[in-house]
Amino acid sequence: MADVVGHSSLERDYSLTGTRSRHAVEVGLAAAEWYHSDVPRKTLKALMKRRDGPAIRDTFIWIALHFVLGAGGIYFWGTWFSVPFWFAYGVVYGSACDSRWHECGHGTAFRTRWMNDVVYHIASFQIMRNPVNWRWSHARHHTDTIIVGRDPEIAWMHPINLVLKALAFVGIYDTWQSLKVLFRNAFGELSDDEREYIPVSEWNRAHFWARIHVAIYMVVLVSVIAMLVSGSGWASLIPVLLIGGPRVYGCWHFVMTGLLQHGGLAEDVIDHRLNSRSLYMNPVSRWLYWNMNYHVEHHMFPMVPYYSLPALHEELKDDLPSPNTSIWDAYREMMGAVMKQRNDPTYAIRKELPPTAKPYKEDLHLSVPERKD
Amino acid sequence: MPWIDACATDDVDEEDVIRWDHGDATFAIYRSMDGAFFCTDGLCTHEQVHLADGLVMDNEIECPKHNGLFDYRTGKALRAPVCVNLGTYETKIENGRVFVELSE
Ligand code: FES
């Protein structure tokens, strides 16, 4: 089975067009029937209910913070006082955009459709994701969560490269990769994987939005050069600190929370309780992350908006493993597992379920090559 | 084109949807806020997930899997990842029952 698992026992073929992808389809791991906790229809309907209010409030605060913090950074330019302003601006731009991109991509943040779309496009730009490609990749992530060869959004691929993971916190490598994709798309090219999960009818839109993003970055670059030429010195960095740069210096919070979503947990399972992590977090992180710390709950019921996830958590908690108690607690658990997975990628955390929970759904698990021995 | 007795009007809450199976086919029956009834194919055109688990808002049904959106009155696909429209079927109400018109 070496051709299925990759070049060595540590490697796997995560491409969406390889042997592992075909295998997932053949054995039924692709588009499988996943486990769902039972929730009465009336309760679920109430939890799914959309309102504009919470997201309008949060978006207003989010946009206001951009202006206030950016203005503070510029006002205090050249003094140490500007540093905390840029630090906070970076997080509000470069990290909060991930959850806004995500929630508005699902169309659940606002009740009004155009509001979801506007915030989705702003946040996609901030996080340097082609808004068309990522809508489709994220749909696939929900159909085939952490199924090898099917899910294009697996953050922890084996063999795990801890240097790259550490670098992700400063965003340089990821930003470079994202810009390469945007430029490639802007020149009218899609990769094999992108062609696999984006329908042909959407390809032109993918090129169009990549061109818009690239054009804005070009304007930023030209502004920096113009300021340099006109003798603005270090202040010439301000345009890039405001636009684009925060994806590098402010992304650490979204990377920190994002890596926890599935890290150290199982691949190739069809029960989100085995491959996703819920945890409790401080209120600031929850605001930045729009409650995606309730990640098992989100994957089971993606129609529940972020502001109802705490209530969904209360509804489901007797059927789910207990959440980690903090970001620190979750990192301790995850990194312990990741260190083991570096030598044995079949290792995964298997959390104990409360006595009230239904057992894990594991019917297809032995179809996975590594689990056969 | 026969009219088939599908369900009682009370079976569907206002601004909600239920599943209705007939023969080998499966459908979704909707009741709008103003009490009108509609019927579409039951499975989402994206990945064949049943829409009866979805959310009815105004005149739209949101698919439970990836939040694709359809106008349930016309079947029109409104938001990615759905691109293909749903089939729709005429309904009528008689004696507190919902009838759906299906082809032979
Ligand atoms: S299955 Fe309905 S939107 Fe994907």
Side-chain angles (χ1 to χ4, degrees):
Chain A
M1 280 293 184
D3 59 333
V4 175
V5 294
H7 303 299
S8 77
S9 60
L10 293 181
E11 265 182 48
R12 292 192 182 172
D13 179 2
Y14 288 93
S15 79
L16 307 188
T17 50
T19 43
R20 200 56 190 260
S21 177
R22 286 195 291 280
H23 178 266
V25 174
E26 277 161 22
V27 301
L29 274 170
E33 186 77 40
W34 285 66
Y35 176 78
H36 286 102
S37 302
D38 290 331
V39 182
R41 172 86 186 152
K42 272 209 165 14
T43 311
L44 193 56
K45 246 180 85 178
L47 289 167
M48 291 190 296
K49 197 132 199 106
R50 303 293 152 73
R51 287 177 286 145
D52 282 332
I56 288 179
R57 177 201 63 210
D58 285 344
T59 304
F60 179 79
I61 297 171
W62 183 53
I63 291 173
L65 282 174
H66 279 80
F67 282 103
V68 171
L69 296 168
I74 294 169
Y75 183 77
F76 290 112
W77 185 258
T79 74
W80 284 106
F81 287 120
S82 74
V83 174
F85 281 97
W86 289 116
F87 177 81
Y89 178 85
V91 172
V92 165
Y93 178 126
S95 280
C97 62
D98 180 55
S99 53
R100 276 66 183 165
W101 161 81
H102 174 259
E103 189 78 16
C104 295
H106 277 285
T108 40
F110 299 89
R111 183 185 169 95
T112 307
R113 199 146 32 107
W114 68 263
M115 295 186 191
N116 278 311
D117 291 342
V118 168
V119 176
Y120 179 71
H121 276 286
I122 295 170
S124 296
F125 172 77
Q126 291 183 318
I127 201 151
M128 296 188 181
R129 289 178 184 156
N130 185 319
V132 177
N133 303 18
W134 279 79
R135 205 185 273 281
W136 292 92
S137 78
H138 198 64
R140 179 67 76 79
H141 173 63
H142 271 268
T143 304
D144 296 325
T145 313
I146 322 295
I147 302 289
V148 178
R150 295 290 300 172
D151 183 350
E153 295 185 5
I154 298 180
W156 293 94
M157 293 187 182
H158 301 295
I160 290 169
N161 185 333
L162 286 180
V163 176
L164 280 187
K165 285 285 160 289
L167 278 179
F169 284 81
V170 282
I172 296 172
Y173 177 75
D174 288 9
T175 302
W176 175 242
Q177 294 298 324
S178 302
L179 283 174
K180 274 200 316 203
V181 173
L182 282 173
F183 272 85
R184 187 164 46 68
N185 293 165
F187 281 104
E189 267 182 52
L190 294 173
S191 68
D192 287 348
D193 279 5
E194 286 162 346
R195 286 163 189 265
E196 156 66 20
Y197 62 76
I198 307 169
V200 183
S201 59
E202 297 283 294
W203 290 2
N204 280 339
R205 288 186 63 238
H207 301 151
F208 170 79
W209 282 106
R211 283 170 193 149
I212 301 279
H213 287 203
V214 167
I216 300 173
Y217 290 124
M218 287 301 163
V219 171
V220 174
L221 191 64
V222 169
S223 315
V224 170
I225 293 170
M227 286 175 75
L228 262 179
V229 171
S230 67
S232 302
W234 285 106
S236 314
L237 283 176
I238 288 175
V240 86
L241 285 174
L242 286 172
I243 299 173
R247 175 64 183 80
V248 176
Y249 72 84
C251 71
W252 61 270
H253 189 278
F254 103 73
V255 174
M256 175 183 76
T257 50
L259 287 176
L260 287 174
Q261 293 175 350
H262 307 284
L265 295 153
E267 293 180 329
D268 291 324
V269 293
I270 53 170
D271 187 328
H272 291 113
R273 298 174 299 176
L274 285 166
N275 70 5
S276 308
R277 172 182 286 103
S278 287
L279 66 148
Y280 296 127
M281 269 182 196
N282 67 78
V284 175
S285 288
R286 272 181 45 202
W287 185 82
L288 290 167
Y289 194 30
W290 266 6
N291 287 335
M292 261 322 119
N293 51 309
Y294 297 115
H295 213 64
V296 181
E297 293 84 341
H298 165 67
H299 267 281
M300 267 197 202
F301 298 103
M303 303 218 305
V304 173
Y306 74 96
Y307 44 82
S308 298
L309 283 177
L312 178 65
H313 168 69
E314 284 304 312
E315 185 64 33
L316 298 187
K317 70 177 185 211
D318 293 343
D319 201 37
L320 309 187
S322 12
N324 293 97
T325 52
S326 64
I327 295 175
W328 173 247
D329 176 53
Y331 261 87
R332 241 185 3 207
E333 173 192 86
M334 179 179 76
M335 289 313 294
V338 161
M339 296 318 275
K340 289 187 185 142
Q341 287 177 334
R342 296 187 74 210
N343 298 317
D344 174 12
T346 60
Y347 177 80
I349 300 163
R350 188 187 163 85
K351 301 195 183 208
E352 205 180 311
L353 287 169
T356 43
K358 296 241 176 73
Y360 285 123
K361 179 170 175 165
E362 299 180 283
D363 24 330
L364 292 174
H365 291 189
L366 286 180
S367 65
V368 178
E370 298 84 13
R371 293 204 189 104
K372 282 183 175 157
D373 333 315
Chain B
M1 299 275 266
W3 286 94
I4 315 287
D5 183 346
C7 61
T9 50
D10 290 348
D11 291 342
V12 197
D13 288 343
E14 255 176 27
E15 208 175 29
D16 205 2
V17 55
I18 61 162
R19 176 182 181 135
W20 173 53
D21 295 327
H22 180 70
D24 291 338
T26 186
F27 302 89
I29 296 182
Y30 310 82
R31 182 175 184 167
S32 66
M33 268 311 255
D34 49 15
F37 285 82
F38 298 88
C39 179
T40 69
D41 291 329
L43 300 179
C44 178
T45 55
H46 177 225
E47 281 184 3
Q48 308 285 294
V49 168
H50 212 291
L51 294 168
D53 295 323
L55 176 67
V56 177
M57 268 186 307
D58 306 324
N59 297 314
E60 293 161 1
I61 172 76
E62 186 177 292
C63 173
K65 188 75 185 178
H66 310 109
N67 314 80
L69 207 59
F70 299 95
D71 184 327
Y72 59 74
R73 298 166 306 173
T74 60
K76 193 171 171 14
L78 298 174
R79 181 175 71 207
V82 295
C83 307
V84 178
N85 297 345
L86 282 173
T88 56
Y89 307 88
E90 287 294 319
T91 61
K92 68 177 181 185
I93 308 299
E94 272 175 17
N95 303 322
R97 306 285 308 172
V98 181
F99 289 81
V100 177
E101 190 179 30
L102 298 179
S103 51
E104 303 268 7

